Amino acid sequence: MIDLLKLQERFAEVDFKIDEPLKNYTYTQVGGIADVLFFPKNKRELSKIVIYANNEGIPWQVLGNASNIIVRDGGIRGFVIMFDRLNTITVNGYVIEAEAGANLIETTRVALYHSLSGFEFACGIPGSIGGAVFMNAGAYGGEIAHLLVSAQLLTPEGEVFTVEARDMKFGYRRSMVQESGAVVISAKFALKPGVFEVIKQEMHRLTHLRELKQPLEYPSCGSVFKRPLGHFAGQLIMEANLKGHRIGGVEVSKKHAGFMINIAQGTAADYESLIAYVIKTVEQDSGIRLEPEVRIIGEKLAD
């Protein structure tokens, strides 16, 4: 049982909400209630939340900005921490440092403003810096691993330490952060000097491509599946005749089969059922088993 009075006393300067529906924050617009949802404004507040939770035996997890994620309908017990207010972006020469809650697209715009090249590939990727480092986000031939200098991480115990890029064990949509239990709280990226108009044109080109191909007009969790070696997930799903297939309020996008969109007040259970159905059907059709890229967290609703 979480003592509300104790929380109010302990975290008088920190914004938080009790029994808050997470569907109000996720890109999919699904997700049950968080017992306590925190919005730390700086690393000191973040560390204070984590240390308190550990001392009190309260489970905690970071939701980042809830883009490439599905929160189950039963919600999340304990503390949930949003990073959207940890969003400072600074530029020092050719290096950009951004806190984990900084918007990835906004960070690419800061790079453009300073005529720094290298981040163009990410100009249309929704999500946060922390999530991008966590999963080595990439598109159009670029990925975070190509730019990262170092990342500042928060351990499950509440300690802060720095990891150099060479020690991040990056792979396709992978980093050591996924196994360590740590949380990205900031990152530094090395860019190259460029020409403002050239960078701007490339960002416009990639944004236009994304708008043409992806169902950005609907709530979604972004790309649902990892790219199988030698194949494209969307192509395999399309060849299995699953474009437009719907379970509950969630549908395989008719525009891009690699996306699942919430078209009619869908639930996390709808997403999970559709993901399982697509994996099974594609494997039957092609012999290839798709692996989800999206993270699924939280508790299922009790029967």
Side-chain angles (χ1 to χ4, degrees):
M1 177 71 73
I2 295 172
D3 189 330
L4 178 56
L5 221 61
K6 196 172 178 182
L7 277 188
Q8 289 171 334
E9 291 173 0
R10 180 77 173 182
F11 298 103
E13 79 286 10
V14 183
D15 292 333
F16 68 88
K17 296 182 179 182
I18 303 294
D19 295 336
E20 183 68 8
L22 291 170
K23 67 180 181 180
N24 295 339
Y25 303 89
T26 60
Y27 277 51
T28 54
Q29 295 183 9
V30 303
I33 286 172
D35 288 344
V36 186
L37 183 61
F38 280 98
F39 303 89
K41 298 182 288 296
N42 51 55
K43 294 172 187 176
R44 182 186 59 79
E45 289 186 358
L46 172 62
S47 191
K48 184 176 179 179
I49 294 163
V50 170
I51 291 170
Y52 177 87
N54 288 340
N55 289 341
E56 296 292 322
I58 299 170
W60 63 272
Q61 66 178 283
V62 169
L63 205 56
N65 77 340
S67 54
N68 195 225
I69 203 165
I70 295 169
V71 178
R72 291 188 172 112
D73 303 308
I76 301 176
R77 304 288 68 80
F79 291 176
V80 178
I81 306 170
M82 294 289 289
F83 271 9
D84 55 338
R85 299 183 193 178
L86 286 165
N87 59 11
T88 302
I89 303 169
T90 58
V91 179
N92 184 8
Y94 301 150
V95 175
I96 286 184
E97 182 171 7
E99 289 187 310
N103 183 281
L104 184 54
I105 294 173
E106 180 59 28
T107 306
T108 69
R109 290 173 181 158
V110 171
L112 168 64
Y113 179 81
H114 290 272
S115 298
L116 295 175
S117 179
F119 242 142
E120 291 90 331
F121 74 89
C123 67
I125 300 177
S128 65
I129 287 292
V133 173
F134 176 89
M135 67 176 295
N136 189 21
Y140 303 114
E143 59 183 25
I144 290 296
H146 298 159
L147 304 176
L148 189 77
V149 174
S150 63
Q152 203 171 50
L153 307 183
L154 177 76
T155 70
E157 295 72 38
E159 300 296 320
V160 174
F161 70 104
T162 299
V163 178
E164 301 299 315
R166 64 178 175 272
D167 298 319
M168 287 291 287
K169 299 179 183 176
F170 281 124
Y172 174 67
R173 302 298 177 262
R174 296 199 64 76
S175 74
M176 60 79 75
V177 186
Q178 296 172 17
E179 286 81 39
S180 71
V183 175
V184 179
I185 55 176
S186 68
K188 289 183 179 180
F189 305 95
L191 304 180
K192 297 177 181 178
V195 178
F196 180 89
E197 283 301 325
V198 174
I199 298 169
K200 182 179 178 181
Q201 286 173 16
E202 178 64 1
M203 289 173 67
H204 281 172
R205 184 182 74 83
L206 296 179
T207 299
H208 181 62
L209 278 177
R210 188 175 290 271
E211 289 171 347
L212 283 176
K213 294 179 178 179
Q214 298 180 7
L216 304 179
E217 65 273 26
Y218 291 101
S220 83
C221 54
S223 181
V224 177
F225 299 103
K226 295 180 181 179
R227 186 179 67 242
L229 189 64
H231 299 273
F232 292 99
Q235 181 73 20
L236 292 170
I237 296 166
M238 185 174 66
E239 289 171 355
N241 296 314
L242 290 173
K243 261 192 173 183
H245 188 84
R246 177 174 168 180
I247 292 180
V250 179
E251 177 182 283
V252 176
S253 169
K254 299 182 182 78
K255 192 173 185 180
H256 189 314
F259 286 69
M260 294 180 182
I261 53 178
N262 187 347
I263 61 170
Q265 296 183 319
T267 64
D270 293 340
Y271 268 103
E272 286 200 81
S273 296
L274 188 55
I275 288 170
Y277 182 80
V278 167
I279 291 173
K280 177 183 174 183
T281 305
V282 167
E283 188 169 22
Q284 289 172 344
D285 183 71
S286 66
I288 297 167
R289 186 168 182 84
L290 295 176
E291 183 182 350
E293 178 176 307
V294 62
R295 292 171 60 215
I296 302 173
I297 63 173
E299 300 183 2
K300 294 184 177 181
L301 281 176
D303 293 331

